[in-house]
Amino acid sequence: MRSINQVGDRIELYPEDISFTLAFSALDFINADTLRYAYRLSDFESGWRYTDSKSKLATYTNLDPGRYRFTVKAINKENKWSSNEAQIEIVIIPPWWDMPIWRALILLTIVALISTMLWLRFRTLQLRSQELSVLVDKRTEDLNRAVEKLTLLSTEDALTGLKNRRYFSQRATEAWNQFFRYKHTFSLILIDIDLFKTINDTHGHGVGDTVLIDVAKILTENVRVNDIVARWGGEEFLILLPALNVQEAYWVADKLRKKVAEHPIKVQGKQVPVSITCGVAEIKHYESVEACIQAVDKKLYEGKALGRNTVVN
């Protein structure tokens, strides 16, 4: 048997070498035909395999990539084993994709692909979220506009654009609370358009509507920004004047009376005279807003009885 266990003695096989056979023979015995052999492939076989001189071959197939050491020894008919064992290293080279560097590259590629897919998914969700956010903002803005419009409709008189009775009552309640807690006074002016029914009957309801609109405009243009002018009902208007006493409210009412009288309504080339009568009261003389409104209403009718186009406080 020829020993080839020197350093560097090895066989390299590739993945396509699915089967290989090793032939061996003993050189240090005579009568070779009577010899027996034992061999094994370390890291593959746990025990020895035995054969005789007629079959001095070892065949292996489909070994996993790795390093193996093939060892063979001989024994003669006196059962004396040879002191020389023949060894050879067998290296099964893994396929390119099974090598560490390629495994690392494949792993990195997979990680990169997964990361890219996750980033694209995240980016898609982010863009979708931004689109939804813009849509929600737009819907919210539309909803706010709708709410504002509904709020405006619920607090505004459709014909004149003045605040309606409901809104005035809310603000008057707030003013009463301020007066009750902190003695912040306020006054009310109740206004009625004189002979409004006659204007409607004589010139038609269209002209009557024009009179209401023009009077409302004169009232709002000649009071303070924080004063509240409301259409109380029909041809009546109610004004809340924060911080004004009854004498100051009287001056405001008389100013409004004069402004209305100075602006007759033009109908088909003709001027229709318009006048108003006002009742004035200050909250400090009454126990509630309702009582104050009843008072200005009474004073208004006193003014009507005095001949209209006047102010009564």
Side-chain angles (χ1 to χ4, degrees):
M1 175 180 291
R2 182 174 66 87
S3 176
I4 57 172
N5 61 346
Q6 294 89 354
V7 177
D9 289 338
R10 70 178 189 174
I11 298 174
E12 290 185 351
L13 299 176
Y14 293 91
E16 58 269 19
D17 300 323
I18 62 174
S19 175
F20 66 92
T21 299
L22 299 172
F24 46 84
S25 180
L27 301 179
D28 55 350
F29 284 104
I30 60 175
N31 299 323
D33 293 340
T34 64
L35 299 179
R36 290 180 295 120
Y37 298 91
Y39 65 88
R40 69 177 178 180
L41 188 64
S42 61
D43 296 327
F44 178 73
E45 298 170 316
S46 59
W48 293 89
R49 292 187 183 187
Y50 299 92
T51 185
D52 56 22
S53 60
K54 295 179 180 179
S55 180
K56 296 179 289 185
L57 299 172
T59 301
Y60 297 93
T61 60
N62 296 321
L63 291 178
D64 293 331
R67 293 178 177 271
Y68 303 89
R69 183 166 293 278
F70 180 78
T71 304
V72 61
K73 59 184 179 179
I75 188 173
N76 61 14
K77 62 182 180 179
E78 285 82 17
N79 291 324
K80 181 180 179 182
W81 287 98
S82 171
S83 60
N84 294 322
E85 293 180 348
Q87 294 185 343
I88 186 171
E89 184 181 17
I90 299 173
V91 179
I92 308 296
I93 299 174
W96 66 267
W97 45 264
D98 199 29
M99 294 181 178
I101 185 171
W102 290 108
R103 285 184 182 179
L105 288 175
I106 291 173
L107 180 61
L108 289 175
T109 301
I110 293 173
V111 170
L113 287 173
I114 294 175
S115 299
T116 301
M117 292 174 64
L118 291 175
W119 182 86
L120 290 174
R121 178 60 177 168
F122 172 78
R123 183 59 179 166
T124 300
L125 292 174
Q126 188 180 45
L127 292 174
R128 181 57 178 165
S129 177
Q130 292 174 353
E131 292 175 357
L132 290 175
S133 178
V134 171
L135 182 60
V136 169
D137 290 342
K138 185 178 183 302
R139 293 291 175 84
T140 303
E141 185 179 349
D142 293 342
L143 180 61
N144 289 336
R145 282 200 296 266
V147 170
E148 289 176 2
K149 185 176 180 181
L150 289 174
T151 302
L152 187 64
L153 290 175
S154 67
T155 61
E156 193 174 87
D157 177 62
L159 177 63
T160 63
L162 297 178
K163 296 301 180 182
N164 59 20
R165 188 167 185 155
R166 176 184 177 187
Y167 178 85
F168 185 92
S169 297
Q170 293 173 348
R171 296 299 301 274
T173 300
E174 294 173 5
W176 167 260
N177 291 334
Q178 291 292 312
F179 169 73
F180 186 78
R181 292 178 182 178
Y182 309 111
K183 302 305 178 182
H184 295 169
T185 194
F186 63 91
S187 295
L188 299 180
I189 302 175
L190 183 62
I191 299 170
D192 184 83
I193 299 176
D194 297 329
L195 303 174
F196 184 73
K197 185 176 182 303
T198 302
I199 294 175
N200 270 337
D201 293 342
T202 304
H203 303 285
H205 289 281
V207 174
D209 288 346
T210 301
V211 171
L212 289 171
I213 294 170
D214 285 0
V215 170
K217 183 178 180 182
I218 292 171
L219 298 181
T220 55
E221 288 178 348
N222 289 278
V223 295
R224 300 169 302 175
V225 175
N226 61 330
D227 294 335
I228 300 170
V229 183
R231 185 181 179 189
W232 192 240
E235 68 274 19
E236 288 187 336
F237 303 90
L238 191 55
I239 303 177
L240 188 150
L241 304 167
L244 295 190
N245 59 36
V246 66
Q247 185 58 48
E248 293 168 331
Y250 176 87
W251 293 335
V252 173
D254 197 54
K255 173 186 174 183
L256 296 175
R257 180 190 64 79
K258 293 176 181 178
K259 289 289 184 180
V260 171
E262 292 171 359
H263 293 80
I265 306 301
K266 293 182 180 180
V267 179
Q268 297 177 352
K270 298 181 180 180
Q271 291 187 341
V272 178
V274 178
S275 65
I276 59 174
T277 299
C278 309
V280 180
E282 185 180 352
I283 192 63
K284 71 178 183 179
H285 301 298
Y286 304 94
E287 296 180 352
S288 66
V289 173
E290 291 74 16
C292 191
I293 292 175
Q294 291 176 4
V296 290
D297 186 61
K298 183 178 179 180
K299 294 175 184 296
L300 173 67
Y301 279 94
E302 291 177 6
K304 294 284 187 182
L306 293 173
R308 302 182 178 87
N309 193 21
T310 186
V311 178
V312 178
N313 62 2

